[in-house]
Structure formats: structure tokens, C-alpha cells
Amino acid sequence: MNKFILKRALASLVSLLFLVVAVFFLSRLTGDPTDLYLPVDASLASREQFRKIHGLDQPLMVQFFNYVRDLAVLDFGESIRRARPALDVVLEAFKWTLQLALITLFLVTLAAIIFGSLAAFRVGGMFDRFATFFSLIGASAPDFWLAIVAIVVFSVGLGWVPTSGTGTMMHWILPVTILFIRPFGLILQVVRSSMITALSAAYIKTARAKGAKAKSIIFIHALRNALLPIITVIGDQAAGMLNGAVIVETIFGFPGVGKLMIDSILQRDFSVVLASIMVTAFVIFLMNILIDLLYAVLDPRIRY
Amino acid sequence: MKKFKSLLLLSAFSMAAISGGSAFAADTDITIVLSEELDLIEPCMASQSNIGRVVLQNISETLAVLNPENGELKPRLALSWQDMGNGKWRYKLRDGVKFSDGTTFDAKDVKHSLDRTLSEDIACELKARYFGGMELKADIVDDLTIDFTAVPAQPILPLLISALTIVPEETPIKFTREPIGTGPYVLSAWNVGQNIILDRRDDYWGAKPEVSKATYLFRSDAAVRAAMVQTGEADIVPQISEELATNAKTDFAYPNSETTYLRLDHFIEPLGDIRVRKALNMAVDREAFLGTLVPKEAIIATHMVPPSTLGWLKDLKPLAFDVKAAKALVDEARADGVNVDEEIILIGRTANFPHATEINEALTQMFNDVGLNVKLQMREVGEWIDFYSKPFAEDRGPRMVTAQHDNSRGDPVFSMVWKYSCDGGQSGLCDKELDGLISKASAAAGDERAALWGPVFKRVHEDLVADIFLFHMVGFTRVSERLNYTPSISTNSELPLEEISFK
Amino acid sequence: MSVSENISTIETPKKGKIKTFFSLLWSDQFAFFAAVFLILVLTSVIFGPMLLDYDAGRQNLRGRNAAPFDFTRGWMWFLGGDQLGRPLLARVLVAAQNTIFVAGGAVMISMTIGSVLGVIAGNSRGRLGQFIPRIADVIMSFPSLLLAVIVLYMLEPSVSNIIIVLAITRIPVYLRTARAEILEIRERMFIQAAIVMGASKFRIIFRHMMPMLLPTLLTVATLDFAFVMLAESSLSFLGIGIQPPDITWGLMVSQGRPYLTTAWWLSFWPGLAIIFTTLSLNLISNWIRIALDPQQRWRLEIESKKND
């Protein structure tokens, strides 16, 4: 097992490096930030000065070499926009994203497993139909639409919760709810479908036939068998959330990493783009290693 | 001390958490919601509108303030100034002014502020915007007198200097996160991603403003911003969209000094032909836009600069909307061998101004209706700017670029040189006569200057039909009913808290 | 003798194949209506732009945001008009083509590439089994927006390039799902038995593993359809996706956003089209899964007997 972890960690490190190289060069294909930062009527001299200050006047390979050299001592460079270390900017935002993602994921997982299993128990029953119907509507409704309607109804109309921002517990209710809806529908569907398969396995059928007493045992057994694809999907959703919930962050004024990344991409603030990718990638890689370990724990037959 | 402060903050925070908001705030505290978070709170970047709204005249002051409605300069940190000839101007400074860190304001601070802004080591936007293309230096005469000298001489030097934000001489030459100024407010907290808080100073040199504390929040969605005034979470929202501005008691329109236009590329057929340019102008039903995609308060434009600008000609008229006449012009050009069937690309920028995409779609149809072949491409800002600014691609086809230009400084020089001279960075034409007119007007001063800009506007609009001017735009601000505050043309670049009072 | 061969002997059809198909479909009414709706969508995909292009594009600034359910102006205005005074019904029908091309194209491409890679990775205990999942890691951590900016900056923003962007970003989902399933399936008794009996690798994958893998992939794919439509919407909103004059449902939704409180119908109808399409696809895929799964099929057959 230890050997596996070590191998995986090394492989992930290589992927991370590959990612850095790819993003470094690819992002620079999208143009020079100078024109975006200076007013359109800035003189040629100020343009050159700007490029010099930010090292953009040097050949790409030199820029890359400098970047890697600084990276070796964990210096992620400076944000052009904010004139402060890129890593600080990213960690500040990532803190919010991480909280939002963890809270939402916890609730989604819990709710989806409970409702999905219940739906799978009686396929085609009333509960199943309802759960499927509403979760699918949730999964395919545009989230900004839901978010604005929620603000209009619950903040402006009823005055129950603040419209946006981060001050108090109440501020978290709307963003978490909106962020919850889509993954809930998706994970519920996967839970349902893998539970159906698991429940129709022969040994479960026999157990089921033996009587209702065994129901909870059946549930645990079936769930255990169904868990692999469920974990995979949760992992995918988690990765998405760790990359930031752009719409929710934008509408609710939530200072997370998603909006930061978009702004930095559109503003060609390369160090921030790179730093945020490295931070999120690090966490995602870590999560993927954990997921692979979890596979092996849940299903002892799986060997790597 | 710091520990104590954070403890205090923490208890304040938890109290706010229990009470669910601003119940403990004083009646004279206000909340302002901006559309995007500030990247910097740097005085020498105050020409960026979101930074300017927080910094200008609140934290940092300038030597003089422009009244954009009549173009006059009002003294602020300076008492008076006079032209000494040969590009030299002498400023008398106000006595008894203190920075928020307790140091005294004098000529050394002014000199340092200029040197810092012009420094090679930081890329200050003030420099790029106002002090390019000249040698500018400051010489201290005595503690309260300073000379500015520009080479070549600048007839509008006081106007340029009025943009300079004053910082103490101790300010290091790198972007600061703790700006110190002479203004009536001091930056007391910046919780990145959440808010910025300004507190009123007790030792301000001027009259004490009514607002005791201002909290700035950031929300990029206009609907959410507007809703925050309704729920009582905010008092002033500088930019809401026209659709949302439905309540006459709280929502105010104001001219925002922006002008929308289509830049035509005269170097490429068929846009090089004046008949085609005329036809394009006549194809646009400007009236139909007003009250639909463009607010009805907007003004149909004939200039690159808003009406309050020096030398503005009120008798210039837009080419009337006339599909038939436009078609005839296109046919005439075709008969003369101009390739009017060539596909012309109209390049728009997404989210450039409210309804940018729809306006461009509507324009495209109008152009096609007069028999031209126009295709729309909407691009994000980083790509769009490659089309808008020189150098233009060598092998380009005919192109029109939709753009919005802001001139709130009252003088046409900030617009005409870059948009219309042969060397101008966004100029789509090169006309020797126009170049001569522009440089003559730029070099003049006073009434003569006003008179000399007239022919420039006329040449651009009537003789050359250079571009397609659309509208002088308006913005909408939502103000809580408990405040007395009316937005003006300068609201786009600054939001002085001292102008706000309570009902 | 494998499980699936067992089945094919059991299900010798008594009725004609087509008749069986319809009776099985009718026995799940939800699925039946879903099928009808999807046929409608497909019809507008094929004929929409051909027949309605002019009406969907013709603007009228002075008649913008016309309210829906106004019977005086003819059927085309039944759903109201948009922000440029174009009939929404015509636009929703015309936009179906690009929308389905983008979503279908992206899902199809990413599912094919993703599951092939996932199956290979799951079956390989060597280098490939280590290497391929890392590709997924890299793509997952590469922000899709940056990818979109890069691709669309270098190529033109067009329907096919949007498909490329979206397809690449969705590959990891299928790759990881397929791999996870295969990892579990390959340890099952009947696969081990097949290996011992000397079945070829190819045969094991296609005869034994794929039938077990497909239902899950199909579930993910149908859900992904909605995801891709909405992702395309946010790309347009950020200014890097499909832009007018091209239209998709996603673009219509994002363009209607400023009018949410004043003219809800602008984003409501295309949003509804997205929701109904996803819902229908899902109901149909559930139905297909049950109809194809020998252990589930009885549910439908009981229903269809009731109907007989």
C-alpha cells in the first residue's frame, strides 16, 4: 500500500509539473497583458516600461526559466493586477472556496445517498418518480436563474436572508443551496442507478426474499457494492467545486477562487492563473489519491 | 494593541452575526456597492474608475478639482496657480493641511507625488493617461510654493496637474496597500474579497462631511446590487442597469461621459470610400435605439467627446436615417468600381456597455438592410483590443470596431489626438489637413483653444464622415431614500463622500 | 457459457420486434412522452433553421420584449418576443440545431474517448494503468475557461471549436467512471472464469465488460448533456463561447439574464427547452436500461401485460 501511495504521489507530482509547463506556455498564447492594463492611449514608452517592470520584454524561454527558478523556492510570482504575491491572492480566495465546497459536498452526499437509495428500493414507485423528476429539473436548470429568483423571493420579498456577501451564517444559506442543487441531481441519479444494479444482484435478492428484517443489512451490503461509481462521481463534482463555483461566486459576491481564476484569465494575470491552478490541482490530485485508496478499502479485490 | 483591536473586531463581528446585520451601525454610516473589487487602493491609479470612486477626494486629494459641467478648475490643496511662461506654472499651496498619518503637507510632498507617479519603477496609470509625451518636472520654491515645468509647454497643464493625487513624501516608490492622504477619510480596513472601510477623520482641514463611515462592498451582478438598496443592505449603488432603474424616487440617470461609436478603417476598401461611410451612417436608425436598447436619456452623438467639452459644436447634425438614400450611395459607389459586396466584419466587445451584444446585432441588420455585407463578431476584451489598437494586422479585411470612449476631463485633446491623428493608436484614418488642425488646437490656450477645436470636429464629422458616432451614454445610480445625493457626470470617475448628506 | 449468452436464449421474441418495442415503450408513459418530445426536438434540429431562419433573425427594435400568450399576432408570437423584437418560438426552434450539435457532439466525443481510455486503464495493470488516469488528473485541474480562451483565441469562435473545448473538458468524467467500474468488474467471478477458460482480452472486454459498463456510462452521459448545454451558456455569458448571430438555447438563456425581473420569458423558454430535453433523455435512458437489462425487464413486461 505504501509503495502504491509513493508511486501515485510521484506520478501526481509529474502531472503537476506537466500542468505548470502546459499552462505557462499555453496561457501566453492568449496575448500580451500590456494593452489590457494601460489605457488605450498610453504611449509606446509607457508600454515598454510596463513590459520591463513585469519581465514581459524578455524571451519566453527566459521568462519560463525565471519562473521555474522562483518556483523552486516556492515563490509563485507577483500578481500584475494586485501588485502582491500571487500565492497570497489565491490562498485568500481558496479558503472561501474550500469551505463552500466542503459544506456543500457533505450535504449533497448525505442527501443524495439517502434519497437515491430510497428511490432504488422501489423502482418506478411514487417516490422514485418524484425524486427522479425533481432532481433532474434541478440538475438541468440554469443556476444563475435559480440564484436570482431565490434572491428576489427570499431576500427582497420575504426578507429571510441577506441578498449576498459573507458576514454571517445567514449569508451562507443561499449560496450553499444553489450550489447544492445540481450535484444533488447528478449524484442522486448515479446512486439510484448503481443501487438498482447492486440490489438486483443474486445474493441480495435471496437476502431480500428472506424477509424485511434483513433490510438494513441489505442496504449496507448493496451500498457498499454500489459505492465505487458513487465515489467517482462525487470526486468529479468535488473537483468542479474546488475549481470554483463561478456563477454562485459572481452573483453572491463570494470571494472564491472561481471568479478569481476567470478574472485573471481574462486579464492575462498569468502568475495568479498559474498559482490558482497549482493550488487547486494539488488538492484535486490529493483527493484522487484518496479516492483510489478508498476503492481498494471498499473492495478488497481491487489491486493496483 | 493589535491583539486588542482584533479582539474588538471579533466581538463586533459576532455581535453583527447575532443581530444579522447593521443594527449597531450609526445613522450616518453608509454602504456603497461597487461592481468589482478593487485590485489596488493606490492613489497613482486613481484614474481607474473603480479605484477613483474610493480614493479620489476621500482618501487622496488633488491640487485642484475639475468641474466637468463647465470645465472650470476649483482650488483644493492649491490656493492659486499662474502661468510663468515657457511651460512653467507656479502653484501656491494651502497651509495647515495634515496627512492622515499626522505629517504636514508641503511642497516636498507635491514634488514626491509627481516624481513617484512618473517613476520608471512602477507603472502608474496617471502617468500613462495624462503625462505621456512630455518632460514634466517639479521645483520647490519654498514650503508652500512649487513650480511645474513641462517640455513642450502644455497650455492645459493645470488641467493635467489636477489629476495628480498627493501622497506624503515618505511613500515608497512601489504600489502601496495602505494609502495615506490629506482627504477627509482614512482607510481603516481592507478585508480582501469582502469590504473596504473608510472612517471620517477628525483633523481634516476642510469642512466636516456628514457621512461618518463608508463601507464599500463588491457585487458584479447588477440585479443583486440593485436589490441591496431595496433590502436596506446598501445606500448607494453607482451602476445599475436601465431595466432595473424603475423607481423614480431612488434611481437617477446621469451622463457618464462615455461615447459609443464605430471606428471605421479607412485604409481598406470599401470603407475608404466616403459614400460607403455616409451610407453606413445613414443606415443607423439612432432614434429607434433610444428608449429601447439605449436609455432614453442618452444623447445622439456627433462628436467623440460629450457636450460639456471645450469647443463642442452644437450645430453639427447626425446624418439622417434614410435607407433609400443610403442604398443609392452604395449603388453609386458600386458603379464607380468600389467593391461594396466585400464582407465587412463588425467587431464588438462583449459586456463593453449595457446591451453591447444586442446593439451590435441591431446595427448589423441595419447595415445589411442598405445593401452592404456586414458580419458581426463579438470578442472578449483581450482579443478585441488587438483589433481596436494599432498595429493593425497587415492582411486584414475591411473592419469596423464598436468602442466606447470616456472623456470626462473637459478637453478634446484627450480624445482627438489618439482617435484621429495619423499617429493615433486607434485612428482608422490619416488626413494631413486634420492633423494640422489638431496640432494647432492642442497648442492654443483659452478662448482661442475653444475656437480652434471647432474646425477639428467639423472636419471629422462633416468633411471626412470619419466614423459612425452613436450616443453619449448615461448611467444609472440607485440611492437610498434616506440620503441626499444626486449623481453627476463625474460619478463615473469619483464619488466624494462629502457630497452626501442625510434627509 | 457466459451470462449474456444465457440471456439471448431466454428472450426469443414472440411478437414482432417493432411491436414489442412500442408496447414496452407505451408501458412506461413517461418514457413515451419523453420520446415524443425528443422527436419534436430532432425535427426542429433538422428543419428549424431551414424553415424559420428569416423569421428568427428579423429584428424590430420598437416591438421588443413582447409578452407571451398574445393570440392576436399569430402562432409565432405565442411565446413572446425577445430583446430585439424577434419571435421567441421561432428562435427556440432554430436554436435547437446548434444546441443539439454542441451538446451531442461534445458528449459523444468525450464519451467515446473517455470510455476507451478508461477501459484501457482499468484493464491494464502496467504503465498504462498508471499513466492514463493522470491524463484525467491534468484535464480536471486545467480550468475549462482557460482552455476555452486559448482554443477560441487561436481558432475562430465557432460551433465546432466550442465542441472541441467542451469535449476535452468532459473526457475525465467518462475516463474515471469507466476505469472505476472496470476495476471492480474485472475482479468478478465470471470474468476470472472467462480468463481461465482462455477467452481473448478483446472478447472479455466487449462481451462481458461492456454490457455491465454501459448503463452507468449512459446515465452519466444523459446527465452530462444538461451540463454541457449549461456550460456552453456560461461560456457565452463570459464572452468566450458562441456569440450572436449564432444562437443556442444556452446563449438565449444567458442573454435573457438582465431581463429576469422585467421580461422573464426571454430566458424562461430556452431554459425550459434545456430542462425538458434533459428530462426526456433521462427518462428514455432509464427506459432503455431497463428494457435491455434482462434482470429488470420484467418491470416493463408486467406493465405491458396489464395494458394488453
Side-chain angles (χ1 to χ4, degrees):
Chain A
M1 199 58 117
N2 282 336
K3 200 179 152 205
F4 164 73
I5 296 178
L6 195 72
K7 253 169 97 180
R8 270 302 302 270
L10 267 175
S12 296
L13 194 71
V14 174
S15 323
L16 193 64
L17 285 178
F18 176 77
L19 193 68
V20 170
V21 176
V23 173
F24 185 93
F25 287 103
L26 286 176
S27 61
R28 273 164 176 76
L29 287 178
T30 60
D32 183 340
T34 312
D35 289 335
L36 286 170
Y37 286 86
L38 297 178
V40 281
D41 40 8
S43 66
L44 223 57
S46 354
R47 273 162 217 274
E48 266 159 31
Q49 183 202 341
F50 181 90
R51 289 200 181 96
K52 207 170 146 212
I53 290 174
H54 295 289
L56 296 164
D57 54 338
Q58 287 165 339
L60 200 54
M61 283 318 289
V62 178
Q63 288 184 42
F64 179 68
F65 176 75
N66 289 341
Y67 186 78
V68 173
R69 189 195 56 206
D70 291 346
L71 204 58
V73 290
L74 291 181
D75 176 354
F76 287 72
E78 189 157 275
S79 159
I80 302 182
R81 256 167 92 87
R82 292 154 213 257
R84 44 192 294 244
L87 191 62
D88 292 6
V89 176
V90 172
L91 288 180
E92 244 159 33
F94 193 66
K95 179 184 77 189
W96 293 100
T97 297
L98 199 61
Q99 289 180 54
L100 193 62
L102 287 179
I103 294 174
T104 315
L105 265 181
F106 174 74
L107 295 174
V108 166
T109 309
L110 203 66
I113 287 185
I114 293 174
F115 286 98
S117 315
L118 287 177
F121 254 100
R122 228 168 267 307
V123 178
M126 272 303 260
F127 184 82
D128 181 27
R129 298 246 158 161
F130 267 107
T132 304
F133 191 72
F134 284 106
S135 65
L136 281 177
I137 288 188
S140 47
D143 40 7
F144 66 79
W145 198 89
L146 293 175
I148 294 200
V149 171
I151 289 177
V152 169
V153 174
F154 296 108
S155 306
V156 181
L158 298 168
W160 289 352
V161 282
T163 55
S164 53
T166 48
T168 67
M169 283 284 285
M170 300 298 278
H171 284 99
W172 288 72
I173 294 178
L174 283 185
V176 169
T177 312
I178 300 298
L179 202 55
F180 173 92
I181 292 173
R182 194 178 297 171
F184 173 69
L186 202 113
I187 298 174
L188 185 141
Q189 282 303 309
V190 175
V191 170
R192 178 181 172 276
S193 106
S194 28
M195 278 300 268
I196 292 175
T197 316
L199 285 171
S200 55
Y203 71 97
I204 298 271
K205 268 189 176 164
T206 10
R208 226 174 168 176
K210 278 184 184 162
K213 262 189 197 169
K215 230 174 189 171
S216 60
I217 303 167
I218 295 166
F219 183 77
I220 307 249
H221 271 285
L223 188 60
R224 197 183 164 125
N225 278 354
L227 221 45
L228 273 126
I230 299 175
I231 290 174
T232 315
V233 178
I234 293 176
D236 290 333
Q237 293 300 309
M241 281 189 210
L242 290 170
N243 268 324
V246 182
I247 302 280
V248 166
E249 286 170 19
T250 309
I251 292 186
F252 292 104
F254 216 87
V257 83
K259 183 149 191 323
L260 176 73
M261 219 185 284
I262 286 206
D263 288 347
S264 311
I265 289 168
L266 292 180
Q267 295 286 340
R268 317 288 192 258
D269 197 347
F270 300 132
S271 345
V272 177
V273 175
L274 277 159
S276 39
I277 288 172
M278 273 188 271
V279 169
T280 51
F282 181 78
V283 177
I284 290 172
F285 288 175
L286 212 62
M287 186 187 73
N288 284 347
I289 294 181
L290 283 177
I291 288 176
D292 270 354
L293 286 177
L294 217 56
Y295 286 165
V297 171
L298 285 169
D299 192 337
R301 293 170 307 172
I302 290 179
R303 288 162 283 126
Y304 293 102
Chain B
M1 185 62 203
K2 206 170 173 192
K3 216 172 185 176
F4 177 72
K5 228 181 183 171
S6 59
L7 211 71
L8 239 157
L9 258 170
L10 200 74
S11 60
F13 181 80
S14 51
M15 267 170 39
I18 295 160
S19 69
S22 52
F24 285 94
D27 293 342
T28 51
D29 292 357
I30 64 164
T31 303
I32 298 170
V33 190
L34 304 177
S35 62
E36 54 180 325
E37 160 131 53
L38 274 67
D39 298 323
L40 299 160
I41 311 182
E42 164 59 58
C44 83
M45 299 293 276
S47 49
Q48 278 184 9
S49 60
N50 58 341
I51 297 178
R53 283 200 192 98
V54 175
V55 168
L56 275 181
Q57 317 310 346
N58 294 327
I59 298 173
S60 296
E61 292 179 290
T62 49
L63 295 178
V65 183
L66 174 74
N67 178 350
E69 257 126 57
N70 56 16
E72 272 170 26
L73 288 171
K74 212 173 73 198
R76 186 129 183 169
L77 284 178
L79 291 171
S80 64
W81 50 90
Q82 69 181 115
D83 192 352
M84 311 288 283
N86 287 331
K88 188 201 272 188
W89 289 73
R90 175 157 295 175
Y91 275 69
K92 288 270 176 217
L93 305 178
R94 192 177 291 277
D95 196 6
V97 175
K98 276 197 172 7
F99 285 99
S100 58
D101 64 353
T103 56
T104 311
F105 161 78
D106 61 30
K108 285 203 277 296
D109 301 309
V110 177
K111 181 173 165 53
H112 180 71
S113 300
L114 184 73
D115 292 346
R116 182 171 180 272
T117 301
L118 300 183
S119 164
E120 289 289 316
D121 300 324
I122 52 175
C124 286
E125 197 185 286
L126 282 182
K127 174 191 179 188
R129 197 177 280 258
Y130 297 115
F131 305 123
M134 68 183 87
E135 287 287 325
L136 184 62
K137 67 179 171 68
D139 298 296
I140 298 170
V141 179
D142 61 46
D143 270 1
L144 293 174
T145 315
I146 191 163
D147 287 344
F148 290 103
T149 316
V151 181
Q154 301 288 321
I156 52 162
L157 193 69
L159 184 62
L160 298 172
I161 291 294
S162 77
L164 180 69
T165 43
I166 304 299
V167 294
E169 59 175 315
E170 295 81 13
T171 316
I173 301 195
K174 59 176 198 196
F175 284 145
T176 173
R177 294 176 60 78
E178 285 150 354
I180 305 289
T182 58
Y185 293 87
V186 58
L187 174 71
S188 49
W190 181 7
N191 302 308
V192 176
Q194 301 181 70
N195 58 29
I196 289 173
I197 298 171
L198 302 193
D199 275 312
R200 186 170 60 195
R201 277 174 65 190
D202 291 327
D203 52 348
Y204 178 58
W205 60 268
K208 189 176 173 181
E210 284 188 33
V211 173
S212 52
K213 176 179 164 190
T215 305
Y216 295 86
L217 303 176
F218 322 103
R219 303 285 184 267
S220 30
D221 192 90
V224 175
R225 282 201 298 276
M228 290 175 79
V229 176
Q230 274 173 285
T231 59
E233 286 171 78
D235 299 294
I236 298 183
V237 178
Q239 297 150 295
I240 62 169
S241 66
E242 182 210 352
E243 283 80 27
L244 298 166
T246 48
N247 184 348
K249 278 193 198 139
T250 55
D251 305 336
F252 300 96
Y254 62 95
N256 64 8
S257 72
E258 302 272 10
T259 305
T260 46
Y261 78 112
L262 271 71
R263 202 274 317 281
L264 306 181
D265 185 345
H266 294 213
F267 302 110
I268 306 278
E269 284 283 288
L271 296 175
D273 191 275
I274 189 164
R275 288 164 296 197
V276 174
R277 294 200 298 271
K278 264 191 186 154
L280 285 166
N281 261 288
M282 291 155 92
V284 181
D285 186 359
R286 293 175 177 81
E287 300 281 347
F289 280 106
L290 290 178
T292 57
L293 289 170
V294 176
K296 60 179 185 302
E297 292 86 352
I299 299 167
I300 291 176
T302 50
H303 292 63
M304 181 62 92
V305 293
S308 53
T309 314
L310 190 77
W312 201 80
L313 296 177
K314 66 172 181 300
D315 40 316
L316 285 189
K317 291 279 174 277
L319 281 168
F321 170 59
D322 188 340
V323 175
K324 232 180 178 169
K327 268 186 181 156
L329 280 170
V330 172
D331 289 339
E332 203 185 309
R334 184 185 282 118
D336 276 359
V338 179
N339 185 8
V340 291
D341 299 317
E342 175 87 16
E343 185 179 80
I344 304 170
I345 309 279
L346 170 60
I347 291 164
R349 171 180 152 192
T350 47
N352 193 5
F353 40 82
H355 305 318
T357 304
E358 288 107 311
I359 291 173
N360 278 306
E361 276 185 271
L363 287 169
T364 308
Q365 176 172 310
M366 290 172 181
F367 296 142
N368 285 318
D369 281 351
V370 300
L372 290 162
N373 180 9
V374 176
K375 195 169 164 264
L376 173 63
Q377 278 184 13
M378 295 300 294
R379 300 297 188 107
E380 57 102 9
V381 52
E383 301 172 74
W384 169 86
I385 206 152
D386 287 344
F387 293 101
Y388 186 41
S389 281
K390 281 180 186 168
F392 302 138
E394 281 297 329
D395 54 348
R396 66 190 186 275
R399 275 176 192 155
M400 307 190 274
V401 179
T402 312
Q404 175 171 264
H405 173 65
D406 175 15
N407 186 342
S408 57
R409 301 303 295 173
D411 195 279
V413 71
F414 303 111
S415 307
M416 304 315 278
V417 174
W418 281 88
K419 309 297 177 201
Y420 290 109
S421 70
C422 290
D423 300 329
Q426 291 87 42
S427 171
L429 57 86
C430 182
D431 179 62
K432 287 284 170 248
E433 190 182 332
L434 183 60
D435 260 18
L437 291 173
I438 291 175
S439 46
K440 225 161 83 190
S442 311
D447 290 343
E448 193 197 353
R449 188 179 178 89
L452 282 173
W453 279 117
V456 175
F457 296 135
K458 218 174 176 119
R459 176 98 190 138
V460 167
H461 181 72
E462 284 184 350
D463 303 350
L464 296 172
V465 196
D467 285 333
I468 303 170
F469 294 121
L470 297 174
F471 305 99
H472 301 301
M473 303 291 270
V474 293
F476 292 89
T477 291
R478 180 168 282 186
V479 182
S480 157
E481 285 189 59
R482 72 188 183 105
L483 301 186
N484 271 322
Y485 172 71
T486 317
S488 72
I489 188 164
S490 55
T491 308
N492 221 29
S493 46
E494 58 182 51
L495 211 167
L497 296 169
E498 62 195 17
E499 288 174 10
I500 300 165
S501 60
F502 298 89
K503 279 181 185 161
Chain C
M1 175 73 69
S2 77
V3 176
S4 54
E5 275 166 21
N6 246 331
I7 291 149
S8 55
T9 50
I10 293 168
E11 53 173 278
T12 5
K14 285 181 203 133
K15 302 178 236 177
K17 269 194 174 160
I18 295 173
K19 209 177 161 199
T20 321
F21 175 82
F22 276 109
S23 78
L24 283 180
L25 184 58
W26 182 246
S27 62
D28 183 350
Q29 261 111 357
F30 276 104
F32 179 78
F33 287 114
V36 171
F37 181 80
L38 287 180
I39 289 170
L40 267 173
V41 172
L42 277 180
T43 316
S44 28
V45 167
I46 299 166
F47 300 108
M50 232 186 280
L51 300 175
L52 293 166
D53 220 11
Y54 179 80
D55 299 294
R58 195 64 213 167
Q59 307 162 7
N60 171 19
L61 278 186
R62 289 182 172 96
R64 62 200 290 266
N65 294 350
F69 312 124
D70 176 1
F71 295 97
T72 54
R73 296 185 66 185
W75 63 273
M76 224 194 287
W77 295 91
F78 186 62
L79 300 185
D82 77 348
Q83 66 273 35
L84 288 170
R86 299 169 292 199
L88 274 170
L89 180 57
R91 286 181 72 71
V92 169
L93 294 179
V94 171
Q97 187 176 65
N98 278 340
T99 311
I100 300 298
F101 277 4
V102 169
V107 168
M108 221 86 95
I109 294 173
S110 54
M111 184 162 85
T112 313
I113 298 178
S115 17
V116 167
L117 287 175
V119 168
I120 296 174
N123 276 305
S124 155
R125 288 180 202 273
R127 284 259 161 83
L128 271 181
Q130 284 289 325
F131 175 72
I132 293 176
R134 300 294 77 74
I135 301 179
D137 283 359
V138 170
I139 298 179
M140 269 167 97
S141 339
F142 198 98
S144 46
L145 285 161
L146 179 60
L147 187 73
V149 171
I150 293 167
V151 170
L152 301 176
Y153 190 86
M154 292 190 298
L155 312 169
E156 292 282 293
S158 70
V159 171
S160 53
N161 293 333
I162 294 283
I163 294 179
I164 295 177
V165 171
L166 291 170
I168 294 176
T169 55
R170 300 312 291 166
I171 287 176
V173 177
Y174 301 97
L175 195 161
R176 288 159 50 86
T177 310
R179 173 175 167 265
E181 287 269 282
I182 295 284
L183 282 180
E184 192 261 340
I185 294 170
R186 77 176 184 199
E187 306 298 346
R188 290 207 187 168
M189 208 58 112
F190 70 91
I191 301 280
Q192 297 296 337
I195 295 173
V196 173
M197 288 170 77
S200 74
K201 231 178 180 166
F202 198 73
R203 186 183 165 81
I204 289 175
I205 291 175
F206 280 91
R207 294 291 296 189
H208 304 298
M209 289 179 161
M210 281 319 257
M212 312 226 30
L213 182 59
L214 269 176
T216 316
L217 284 180
L218 218 60
T219 313
V220 176
T222 41
L223 287 164
D224 224 29
F225 215 82
F227 183 92
V228 169
M229 283 192 265
L230 296 173
E232 181 255 309
S233 165
S234 25
L235 279 184
S236 321
F237 177 72
L238 294 165
I240 38 188
I242 287 176
Q243 292 297 332
D246 286 338
I247 42 171
T248 62
W249 292 337
L251 180 63
M252 289 173 75
V253 169
S254 80
Q255 281 207 298
R257 170 172 147 155
Y259 304 92
L260 263 183
T261 46
T262 47
W264 54 268
W265 50 92
L266 262 59
S267 59
F268 182 78
W269 300 122
L272 204 64
I274 293 179
I275 292 177
F276 277 174
T277 309
T278 324
L279 208 54
S280 306
L281 278 171
N282 239 274
L283 292 169
I284 286 286
S285 86
N286 272 347
W287 175 82
I288 292 176
R289 267 193 8 234
I290 294 177
L292 290 184
D293 184 350
Q295 296 183 8
Q296 308 280 338
R297 193 173 174 156
W298 55 272
R299 298 180 204 276
L300 291 174
E301 279 164 348
I302 288 172
E303 283 286 322
S304 80
K305 279 207 186 93
K306 267 195 237 160
N307 293 335
D308 278 347

